[in-house]
Amino acid sequence: MAQATQEYGEWPLKRLMSEVVGSGHKSADDMDYEQAAEAFRRILDGEPDHTTLGAFWLANRWKRNTAEELAAFTDVMRESVRTGEPDCDPVDCGANYDGKHSSALLGVAAGCVAAGAGTPVVTHSGDRVPTQKATAYKHVLDELGVRTEISPEESAEMVDGTGFGFYYQPEFNPGIGTLFERRDEMGVRTFVNTIETLANPANADVHLGSFYHLPFAKRIVETFERSDQSLSSVLMFQGMEGYDDVRPGLTKVAEWRDGDFSDFEIETEEYGMDFESEDLEVADVGDDSAAITREVLSGDRTDGFADAVALNAALRIYARGDVESIDAGLETAREAIDDGNAEAVLDDLRAF
């Protein structure tokens, strides 16, 4: 048996590969919490060589991580996260950091609308994160003239002052930042792409997120249940391009609130919204998303993009418990656009 070291434990990645996770996606065993936690501590410390780390990441991708493993990875990651906790109680929107390729990114506009309606929202992302290295929150905010490369403390001041806050990954999550080159060399997504969205740099009480595959949404809810984070509610859904934007048509939502799990469906046609996914595609995600944000918030745009923004804002308002239904949230969101409060949030952000 491997000898325990003073710094870690008995489970270097090579041993985990040979005895636990490395025997293929059908016969591999799952790690327990302690094994997964030790593995990620070793990774963040740069202890494994590149070959072993790459093999470990691929083995976990093949076998698929359990909620217990993801909770352990997340808890270890958060040991080095620099939080900036605002005085308000915001909704944490943890979209996929590697971004979007083709459809407009609506989270900035939706967050401003929710903030204008009285629901504070925080978002976070990196800059061209592997594997897609596509457009994320930071890039749309940059196009809008909003400062993004700020400390967690400044981010907390931003959300308290405007209702919308952005946290920049290199500033609040340096441990994950050290893995950038190795992740880039992998060429495929790893569990790091999942857990970085759960970093919760504002220590928010509510998390709203999205993934490509619906069964994974329930697994993330279970991850939060098993982790050291203390949240009151989690909403996960299958968004456009894996982002926290509700897709046109049917979207299933997994909800965990005060210990109770449920699910429901969002059907855009039921809200009088007649548009398809193709209608939300744009030529330049960063530039066009910024332009759409300005036009929707000012009331100059009333097409499918405006409907989609209002619906996504409604989900944020509902997630925090500020309304009892999506319908009520939608009405509140549209009022925030009509009375100019949503546009005022963007003005405050640009002036921050």
Side-chain angles (χ1 to χ4, degrees), residues 88-109:
C88 66
D89 187 16
V91 177
D92 172 69
C93 296
N96 284 332
Y97 279 22
D98 55 358
K100 281 188 172 187
H101 277 301
S102 58
S103 60
L105 196 154
L106 306 176
V108 174

Side-chain angles (χ1 to χ4, degrees), residues 18-99:
S18 61
E19 298 184 28
V20 185
V21 302
S23 57
H25 69 281
K26 292 185 178 180
S27 56
D29 292 325
D30 297 321
M31 293 175 284
D32 61 29
Y33 182 97
E34 289 73 20
Q35 289 171 328
E38 178 182 338
F40 203 52
R41 284 195 181 94
R42 289 175 181 269
I43 291 171
L44 290 178
D45 288 348
E47 188 259 356
D49 64 71
H50 285 216
T51 302
T52 303
L53 176 57
F56 181 78
W57 272 341
L58 282 177
N60 279 272
R61 180 179 173 89
W62 289 331
K63 84 170 190 66
R64 299 178 184 176
N65 288 116
T66 65
E68 185 172 13
E69 291 169 337
L70 293 172
F73 298 150
T74 301
D75 289 344
V76 170
M77 172 187 67
R78 277 183 49 84
E79 291 173 358
S80 61
V81 166
R82 292 179 53 205
T83 58
E85 190 166 345
D87 293 329
C88 66
D89 187 16
V91 177
D92 172 69
C93 296
N96 284 332
Y97 279 22
D98 55 358

Side-chain angles (χ1 to χ4, degrees), residues 116-343:
T119 298
V121 170
V122 299
T123 64
H124 38 100
S125 81
D127 189 357
R128 307 300 176 188
V129 170
T131 55
Q132 292 192 124
K133 294 186 176 180
T135 302
Y137 271 120
K138 171 179 168 48
H139 309 118
V140 177
L141 288 165
D142 285 342
E143 291 293 336
L144 289 167
V146 178
R147 289 197 302 134
T148 56
E149 297 182 18
I150 56 179
S151 70
E153 293 76 17
E154 289 178 292
S155 298
E157 292 174 6
M158 176 184 282
V159 67
D160 277 332
T162 71
F164 182 104
F166 174 76
Y167 291 72
Y168 184 41
Q169 186 184 42
E171 292 287 338
F172 74 82
N173 202 349
I176 296 298
T178 64
L179 299 175
F180 185 94
E181 290 186 7
R182 292 195 182 189
R183 295 172 65 188
D184 194 25
E185 290 169 358
M186 282 293 296
V188 296
R189 292 170 60 87
T190 70
F191 62 74
V192 180
N193 290 80
T194 298
I195 65 170
E196 66 187 349
T197 69
L198 312 182
N200 193 9
N203 281 336
D205 189 47
V206 178
H207 176 83
L208 182 144
S210 158
F211 285 88
Y212 288 99
H213 307 296
L214 183 62
F216 209 65
K218 185 173 182 179
R219 196 177 310 171
I220 295 303
V221 171
E222 294 171 349
T223 295
F224 277 113
E225 287 185 292
R226 288 166 169 78
S227 79
D228 291 339
Q229 295 194 60
S230 178
L231 278 69
S232 66
S233 60
V234 179
L235 262 71
M236 296 293 302
F237 59 90
Q238 190 175 14
M240 291 192 67
E241 296 191 64
Y243 229 74
D244 57 357
D245 296 332
V246 175
R247 63 180 60 199
L250 180 67
T251 298
K252 291 190 176 182
V253 182
E255 178 176 9
W256 180 84
R257 195 179 294 272
D258 295 324
D260 295 325
F261 180 85
S262 61
D263 61 83
F264 61 92
E265 296 178 348
I266 295 176
E267 178 61 65
T268 51
E269 289 185 1
E270 293 181 359
Y271 299 101
M273 299 179 182
D274 183 20
F275 58 92
E276 305 293 335
S277 296
E278 294 77 12
D279 297 326
L280 302 183
E281 292 181 355
V282 292
D284 186 304
V285 176
D287 288 346
D288 292 343
S289 296
I292 290 166
T293 297
R294 287 190 293 265
E295 293 164 2
V296 169
L297 297 185
S298 66
D300 292 336
R301 190 162 197 147
T302 58
D303 58 2
F305 284 109
D307 285 338
V309 167
L311 181 58
N312 280 282
L315 196 62
R316 286 152 172 77
I317 298 168
Y318 170 79
R320 189 171 179 261
D322 292 338
V323 293
E324 294 185 357
S325 68
I326 303 298
D327 292 270
L330 190 58
E331 181 179 353
T332 302
R334 285 174 167 155
E335 288 175 356
I337 296 174
D338 292 342
D339 63 20
N341 286 339
E343 186 177 28

